[in-house]
Amino acid sequence: MPKLKTKKAAAKRFKATGTGRFKHHKANKGHLLTVKSPKRKMGLRKAGMVDKTNEAAVRAMLPYA
């Protein structure tokens, strides 16, 4: 059986955790930051987890993660 290709765009955006779930960076931290409250910006610093409904799709894109 041939090797599976990793989707490189997904590899740059998701990282597997030790338990097999995937973490990602949160959106809305790129620009227009003066409008957003400090509390909101602090929350955007933390990594988010991929939802259970999307985990199978991410796993298919990252076969060796």
Side-chain angles (χ1 to χ4, degrees), residues 1 11 14-15 19 24 26 28 32 37 39 51-55 62-63:
M1 186 158 173
F14 303 105
K15 186 167 173 35
T19 58
H24 65 86
K26 293 186 180 175
N28 302 317
L32 301 176
S37 70
K39 184 177 179 180
D51 193 67
K52 295 259 187 197
T53 57
N54 296 320
E55 255 183 43
L62 304 171

Side-chain angles (χ1 to χ4, degrees), residues 22-64:
F22 292 96
K23 62 182 180 177
H24 65 86
H25 293 292
K26 293 186 180 175
N28 302 317
K29 188 85 185 348
H31 63 124
L32 301 176
L33 296 174
T34 54
V35 182
K36 295 163 188 156
S37 70
K39 184 177 179 180
R40 182 174 168 191
K41 287 187 280 190
M42 282 196 313
L44 292 172
R45 281 182 214 154
K46 301 170 187 162
M49 299 302 288
V50 172
D51 193 67
K52 295 259 187 197
T53 57
N54 296 320
E55 255 183 43
V58 175
R59 198 169 301 287
M61 290 188 276
L62 304 171
Y64 300 105

